Amino acid sequence: MASTRCAHLLTISILLLLLCHLTRAFPLPSPPSASSSAASPSPPPPVLPPLPRGLPRLIPAWSLPVNPFTAKAAFIRYWNRKVRGNRPHPAFLFAKLSPLSVPDAATFSTLASAGKLASRIRDFCAAASLLCPSTPAASWSAASSSSVDGAAGGVAASSSAAGGGGGAASAAPFKNYENGNFSSYGNSGGGGSDQFAVYSSGKSGPVDSFKQYGKGSLGRNDSFANYEEGGNVGTSSFNSYTTGATGGAGEFAGYAGQTNTVAATFATYDNTGNGRTHEFTAYSQDANSGVQSFTGYGKTANGASESFKTYGNNSNTVASGFINYGQKANGFNDTFASYGLDGNAPQNTFRSYASGSNAGIDEFKAYRDQANVGDDSFTSYANNANGAAADFDSYGKSTNPGSVAFKGYGQGSNPNHRIGFTQYSGENTTFKAYSNEGVEFKEYQNMSKMEVSKTAAPAATTAPGHRLPKWSPEPGKFFRERDLMMGNRMPMPDIADKMPHRAFLPRDIATKIPFEENAVSALFGAPPGTAMRQVVASTVAECARPPSQGETKRCTTSAEDMLDFAVEMLGSNIAVRSTESTAGSGRDVRLGKITGIAGGSVTRSVSCHQSLFPYLVYYCHSVPRVRLYEADILDVDSNRKINHGVAICHLETSDWSPNHGAFMALGGKPGQIEVCHWIFEGDMAWTLVD
């Protein structure tokens, strides 16, 4: 008996040694690309070394099964039960499954059940590959404001890393920083300058705080260049920034450019300051959604000057609020030049702006020019002001009219103000309770629709050959079905996934998190006013929106939810596709072999699009009456295959909005033409099996 037991132990030991040897000789393959449209072909089985006679051949490491207790293994079993056929699993979808280990999944599921997941939210975000607001990696205070010259290369510095007071002039180049907390930094100092270059650039969820920065300083300059550029869900707070400062200049150049959902708060910024100038140049340019808030900005300031130049240009649905801006200020000069140019649905609110100020000058030039709709509100503008002057020059020349409301402006006990509207183009504009003196309308267009009785100028017309606004669809984003022809050269839009990387939650955990704004925001630490709160609120609201006519929609918070919806809409004999990669994006390509899915016949589809959220959420909806195609995408010059694309053509567009970008790009009206587009990276289309 003992000899038999020893023989068994010896056999097991040999097996374990051989397994370790094989694991090193044949390492696990790298995970498939997330954008692949089909499962990667299985690698050829390697030739195994000979084993001692009598021992069974082991399963090589490259073909070892997934741990059967993980969420990924659970979804594989679920897929195999729900989907007919024995086709390869779609690699791009399976790459999005939860990476949680078995112990972590059990721990976090238990915490979620008990309502205590927030107690370990940082660990949860890291382990589950989620998007969570960052915590400041660097903290700077008055004690560190004079000796940071050599610390610009990293982010791990703190207020204790640099000694000295804030009284001496200093120059601080903060380059390639992220997630900084600057509290009472640079206060009461004489001179000095701070440069924030490429700060929090390209980051997801950065949180930066500037509190009482430069308070009471003398002649201190600060520059924010390419700040939070190209990032996702960034939050910046400038609270009591340069309050009581004298002289100096601040510059925000390229701030929050090309960002995806940004929240910036300027509260009591430049309050009671003296002769300080600020310039916002190319601020939030090419940004996608976000909210900017200027509250109590420049209040009771003396001789301050602010310039907003090319602010929010080419942006998509950026909202700005100027509340109590310049209130009771003396000699406050503001210039808004090319503000909101080419913007898409910008929203700006000016409430109690320059109220009670003295000799303030505001200039709005080429404001919201060539924008697509948008809304502006001027409430209690320059009320009780003394000697105020405001010029609206070439204001509101939107390509598609928005709305502007002037309510209670220029009123008060001091009539010596001047508010002029020159070449003002105002569709859907209302003027209510405005001063009877000092308000002049000159060359105001479309006056017949106003509540003001003045001579109307001819309606504005677009000059022949005028360039297409930048908020219009980029070339190739929409095309006609006839363009899908072998050998055709066509522009391909940028189809790259711009959202931060996230994974699905296991269904067991996702179902324990209420899909509500307050619940999700509380869990992930997203208070009001932050970019993350905006993201959560927007996605929850879109998911709660009633479906359009003929649409069946569902927001799926797990891979199982998405599969259930696809099977419910199409049945169990289904396949899912996406464009293979981003190769060819943003340039001309040539089409190679084209294959119609389902033989090119009219079919049904379920399209799923990513939503911006802390964890992976997909907006899925059934799409009736479509044709889908697969196409080899070739390099224009060499005709070499560089990508494999999936395109969908919508044959029924009757219920689409007349302002849809497709009709702007292709012409026509709803119901008149079909509209085709590529399936972008990160999105996917479910169909019946060909």
Side-chain angles (χ1 to χ4, degrees):
M1 179 69 70
S3 60
T4 304
R5 187 179 298 112
C6 290
H8 286 165
L9 290 174
L10 178 61
T11 302
I12 292 173
S13 299
I14 295 174
L15 288 173
L16 290 174
L17 288 173
L18 286 170
L19 180 59
C20 292
H21 166 72
L22 289 171
T23 302
R24 289 177 180 151
F26 307 104
L28 288 169
S30 57
S33 169
S35 59
S36 174
S37 63
S40 302
S42 299
V47 179
L48 300 178
L51 298 178
R53 183 175 299 176
L55 289 181
R57 183 169 293 276
L58 301 178
I59 299 175
W62 54 265
S63 62
L64 289 175
V66 176
N67 185 327
F69 301 104
T70 61
K72 182 176 182 178
F75 181 72
I76 291 174
R77 294 191 295 271
Y78 194 75
W79 174 283
N80 293 339
R81 291 199 307 271
K82 300 281 287 188
V83 179
R84 286 171 50 193
N86 193 26
R87 293 176 296 278
H89 296 143
F92 71 91
L93 173 59
F94 278 59
K96 301 178 185 296
L97 298 177
S98 175
L100 283 175
S101 65
V102 175
D104 282 347
T107 298
F108 294 129
S109 178
T110 301
L111 289 171
S113 297
K116 297 180 179 180
L117 189 55
S119 65
R120 291 192 56 191
I121 191 62
R122 297 295 167 189
D123 296 335
F124 180 50
C125 288
S129 190
L130 310 182
L131 173 66
C132 289
S134 303
T135 53
S139 181
W140 301 87
S141 67
S144 56
S145 62
S146 62
S147 52
V148 294
D149 297 336
V155 297
S158 67
S159 60
S160 61
S170 62
F174 294 89
K175 189 174 183 180
N176 296 324
Y177 267 82
E178 59 181 277
N179 299 328
N181 181 10
F182 292 79
S183 180
S184 301
Y185 181 92
N187 285 8
S188 304
S193 64
D194 298 319
Q195 297 176 358
F196 296 84
V198 201
Y199 192 101
S200 288
S201 181
K203 302 300 179 181
S204 292
V207 178
D208 298 316
S209 174
F210 295 82
K211 188 175 183 180
Q212 294 187 356
Y213 182 102
K215 183 178 180 180
S217 62
L218 301 173
R220 191 177 188 90
N221 301 327
D222 53 80
S223 172
F224 293 81
N226 298 323
Y227 184 99
E228 289 192 356
E229 184 180 27
N232 276 293
V233 200
T235 298
S236 299
S237 173
F238 294 82
N239 196 352
S240 300
Y241 187 98
T242 63
T243 296
T246 297
E251 180 187 15
F252 291 80
Y255 185 101
Q258 299 182 346
T259 55
N260 191 23
T261 307
V262 61
T265 302
F266 293 82
T268 58
Y269 186 104
D270 262 358
N271 263 24
T272 65
N274 291 288
R276 186 169 170 85
T277 63
H278 271 98
E279 182 174 353
F280 291 80
T281 306
Y283 186 100
S284 291
Q285 193 159 352
D286 296 308
N288 179 38
S289 78
V291 175
Q292 325 278 351
S293 174
F294 296 81
T295 305
Y297 188 107
K299 187 176 181 180
T300 67
N302 182 41
S305 175
E306 309 289 345
S307 173
F308 293 82
K309 190 175 182 181
T310 61
Y311 181 104
N313 283 15
N314 310 324
S315 61
N316 183 38
T317 61
V318 169
S320 297
F322 295 82
I323 314 300
N324 297 328
Y325 183 103
Q327 190 175 26
K328 296 183 180 179
N330 183 39
F332 200 78
N333 297 335
D334 291 331
T335 301
F336 292 81
S338 298
Y339 186 104
L341 181 72
D342 283 328
N344 183 33
Q347 295 181 342
N348 303 300
T349 301
F350 295 82
R351 190 166 74 236
S352 299
Y353 185 103
S355 180
S357 62
N358 182 44
I361 300 175
D362 297 323
E363 182 179 1
F364 294 82
K365 190 172 184 179
Y367 184 101
R368 226 177 70 189
D369 204 9
Q370 303 303 327
N372 182 34
V373 299
D375 301 288
D376 288 338
S377 172
F378 293 82
T379 305
S380 300
Y381 183 94
N383 272 14
N384 295 310
N386 181 38
D391 285 314
F392 293 83
D393 189 0
S394 300
Y395 181 103
K397 290 188 175 180
S398 301
T399 301
N400 290 313
S403 67
V404 184
F406 290 85
K407 184 177 182 180
Y409 67 100
Q411 290 183 315
S413 57
N414 298 307
N416 57 335
H417 55 253
R418 183 185 61 79
I419 301 177
F421 295 85
T422 305
Q423 296 182 356
Y424 186 103
S425 302
E427 295 271 1
N428 306 321
T429 304
T430 59
F431 294 85
K432 292 184 178 181
Y434 68 97
S435 173
N436 291 324
E437 300 181 29
V439 180
E440 179 185 13
F441 295 87
K442 187 178 181 181
E443 297 182 28
Y444 191 104
Q445 298 169 352
N446 303 324
M447 295 296 297
S448 61
K449 298 182 181 180
M450 303 305 109
E451 295 185 17
V452 184
S453 178
K454 295 287 180 181
T455 303
T461 57
T462 302
H466 182 74
R467 65 179 176 82
L468 201 63
K470 290 187 178 180
W471 45 261
S472 60
E474 63 178 310
K477 183 172 183 179
F478 301 105
F479 49 89
R480 301 291 301 274
E481 195 170 16
R482 62 177 180 242
D483 295 324
L484 290 170
M485 180 175 61
M486 186 173 180
N488 186 34
R489 175 173 178 162
M490 62 186 297
M492 188 173 186
D494 183 3
I495 66 170
D497 180 9
K498 299 296 195 302
M499 293 194 183
H501 174 75
R502 293 146 300 146
F504 278 117
L505 284 180
R507 175 183 264 182
D508 176 57
I509 297 178
T511 55
K512 295 171 182 174
I513 301 175
F515 194 71
E516 302 167 358
E517 177 186 344
N518 291 338
V520 174
S521 298
L523 174 61
F524 289 96
T530 61
M532 182 63 77
R533 184 61 171 254
Q534 296 174 36
V535 162
V536 171
S538 176
T539 296
V540 170
E542 176 62 18
C543 291
R545 175 186 60 81
S548 304
Q549 185 176 351
E551 178 190 40
T552 304
K553 61 186 276 283
R554 182 177 301 169
C555 283
T556 62
T557 58
S558 67
E560 289 87 349
D561 283 352
M562 180 189 289
L563 180 57
D564 284 348
F565 183 69
V567 170
E568 182 182 324
M569 293 292 101
L570 303 173
S572 60
N573 196 24
I574 53 175
V576 60
R577 297 175 173 86
S578 185
T579 298
E580 188 174 275
S581 73
T582 61
S585 288
R587 59 187 175 95
D588 280 6
V589 296
R590 196 178 306 280
L591 299 184
K593 180 182 178 182
I594 298 172
T595 304
I597 297 171
S601 301
V602 177
T603 185
R604 294 176 296 152
S605 173
V606 168
S607 291
C608 293
H609 313 279
Q610 279 191 84
S611 297
L612 196 50
F613 211 65
Y615 49 91
L616 205 51
V617 170
Y618 270 86
Y619 175 94
C620 296
H621 59 129
S622 65
V623 186
R625 299 203 68 241
V626 296
R627 276 194 283 262
L628 286 96
Y629 297 88
E630 291 183 295
D632 288 339
I633 297 173
L634 315 178
D635 179 76
V636 168
D637 298 321
S638 66
N639 283 333
R640 177 178 57 88
K641 180 182 175 181
I642 58 174
N643 203 348
H644 187 75
V646 177
I648 182 170
C649 292
H650 300 266
L651 308 182
E652 179 53 69
T653 60
S654 300
D655 295 326
W656 291 24
S657 167
N659 296 324
H660 195 286
F663 304 122
M664 180 181 300
L666 305 175
K669 297 178 180 179
Q672 290 184 346
I673 63 171
E674 85 292 343
V675 174
C676 305
H677 62 85
W678 298 107
I679 301 297
F680 281 31
E681 180 186 32
D683 295 343
M684 58 193 79
W686 298 77
T687 62
L688 295 170
V689 169
D690 203 340

